[in-house]
């Protein structure tokens, strides 16, 4: 398969490395920050992978969709624009897959957290909170992965109604609030943890990323799946759709 990479920062370079080490894929085009984005630039590609920034992604999106080449998006920070993006994808008859984190390990971790949050739901003695740690150069706070985890917890645990990422001075957290704590520390690559507590025990579910190759490899696998899906069922997809099909 031929991949066009939009954005060639740290993640784009990792994606390129994964593709170039593969026997079945190749990098078709790399479009970095100074590139002029036109439909013609995507001609001959099977998949587009976008790791840029919010404003660049939203500006380039209509052109990418018009090319009819399936788009895998790892750019974060545009959740508020999700309804608009979904509408653009539907109107264009295009295909787009979005995930705040394409790591297969992280997505298995998220599913484990969701199941644990569901299982403790009927038992009032269990409380749950979430935390993430990243390096000091990370821009979003909390991470997109942490917010995704929080949304999954609230979805399956009826005792948690709202997500709280910051507590005002001298405010106690309410029982129906789910705290999501974020730490920015040195060069920490990425750690996410769910904490379940009762009077009798503690359960901790954690994921630690060792490098960016896990994220990049997941994006490449997702791109292959999306390209095949686009042939018969164009639309807006997530990693959950991909994994649901893989797990059957």
């Amino acid at each position: 398969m031929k991949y066009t990479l939009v954005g060639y920062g740290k993640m784009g370079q990792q994606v390129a490395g994964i593709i170039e080490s593969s026997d079945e894929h190749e990098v078709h085009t790399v479009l970095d920050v100074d590139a002029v984005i036109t439909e013609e630039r995507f001609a001959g590609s099977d998949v587009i992978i976008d790791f840029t920034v919010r404003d660049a992604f939203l500006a380039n999106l209509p052109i990418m969709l018009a090319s009819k080449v399936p788009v895998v998006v790892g750019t974060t920070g545009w959740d508020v624009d999700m309804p608009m993006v979904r509408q653009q994808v539907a109107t264009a008859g295009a295909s787009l897959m979005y995930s705040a984190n394409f790591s297969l390990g992280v997505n298995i971790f998220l599913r484990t957290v969701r199941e644990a949050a569901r299982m403790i739901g009927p038992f009032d003695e269990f409380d749950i909170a979430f935390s993430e740690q990243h390096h000091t150069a990370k821009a979003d706070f909390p991470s997109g992965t942490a917010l995704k985890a929080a949304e999954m917890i609230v979805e399956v645990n009826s005792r948690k109604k709202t997500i709280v990422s910051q507590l005002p001075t001298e405010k106690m957290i309410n029982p129906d609030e789910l705290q999501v704590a974020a730490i920015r520390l040195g060069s920490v690559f990425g750690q996410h943890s769910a904490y379940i507590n009762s009077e009798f025990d503690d359960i901790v579910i954690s994921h630690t990323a060792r490098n960016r190759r896990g994220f990049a490899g997941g994006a490449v696998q997702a791109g292959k799946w999306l390209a095949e899906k686009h042939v018969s069922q164009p639309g807006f997809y997530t990693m959950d759709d991909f994994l649901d099909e893989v797990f059957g």
Side-chain angles (χ1 to χ4, degrees), residues 7-204:
Y8 201 62
K10 292 179 179 179
M11 273 306 305
Q13 293 172 36
Q14 288 290 328
V15 170
I18 293 289
I19 293 171
E20 289 166 351
S21 65
S22 168
D23 294 331
E24 59 176 325
H25 306 308
E26 64 179 272
V27 175
H28 180 264
T29 308
V30 174
L31 302 174
D32 205 6
V33 63
D34 295 323
V36 177
I37 306 294
T38 64
E39 288 182 44
E40 292 72 25
R41 302 300 297 270
F42 303 113
S45 299
D46 297 304
V47 185
I48 300 167
I49 297 185
D50 181 293
F51 277 102
T52 55
V53 294
R54 174 189 178 275
D55 290 346
F57 162 67
L58 293 176
N60 295 332
L61 180 62
I63 300 171
M64 293 191 290
L65 296 180
S67 75
K68 301 300 184 182
V69 178
V71 185
V72 171
V73 182
T75 301
T76 60
W78 53 273
D79 286 20
V80 68
D81 302 294
M82 189 72 70
M84 177 191 71
V85 171
R86 284 181 174 272
Q87 183 59 52
Q88 289 187 49
V89 172
T91 300
S95 292
L96 183 147
M97 178 188 283
Y98 166 66
S99 179
N101 195 317
F102 280 98
S103 162
L104 296 178
V106 164
N107 280 278
I108 292 170
F109 161 75
L110 290 174
R111 287 181 170 232
T112 305
V113 170
R114 179 170 59 189
E115 181 63 11
R118 184 192 67 78
M119 291 175 68
I120 66 170
F123 304 104
D124 291 344
E125 62 264 37
F126 287 104
D127 196 10
I128 185 169
F130 199 88
S131 75
E132 57 96 343
Q133 298 183 44
H134 284 87
H135 52 84
T136 53
K138 186 169 178 60
D140 51 335
F141 180 101
S143 69
T145 301
L147 293 176
K148 171 69 172 176
E151 291 166 2
M152 295 169 83
I153 292 169
V154 170
E155 179 184 350
V156 300
N157 189 308
S158 61
R159 289 187 287 112
K160 294 298 182 181
K161 307 295 185 183
T162 57
I163 299 167
V164 177
S165 59
Q166 293 184 344
L167 289 175
T169 304
E170 299 181 355
K171 178 188 182 302
M172 296 175 63
I173 193 164
N174 295 321
D176 65 351
E177 293 178 325
L178 173 67
Q179 184 179 12
V180 180
I183 296 173
R184 295 293 171 263
L185 176 66
S187 58
V188 175
F189 187 78
Q191 297 177 4
H192 295 87
S193 299
Y195 301 91
I196 297 171
N197 168 265
S198 78
E199 179 183 353
F200 311 107
D201 42 29
D202 291 289
I203 303 169
V204 180

Side-chain angles (χ1 to χ4, degrees), residues 192-237:
H192 295 87
S193 299
Y195 301 91
I196 297 171
N197 168 265
S198 78
E199 179 183 353
F200 311 107
D201 42 29
D202 291 289
I203 303 169
V204 180
I205 307 168
S206 295
H207 177 275
T208 300
R210 295 183 178 179
N211 53 55
R212 288 184 173 85
R213 288 184 62 82
F215 305 95
V220 172
Q221 289 188 52
K224 179 181 178 181
W225 179 87
L226 184 64
E228 295 169 352
K229 201 74 172 176
H230 176 69
V231 175
S232 58
Q233 292 180 274
F236 187 104
Y237 295 97

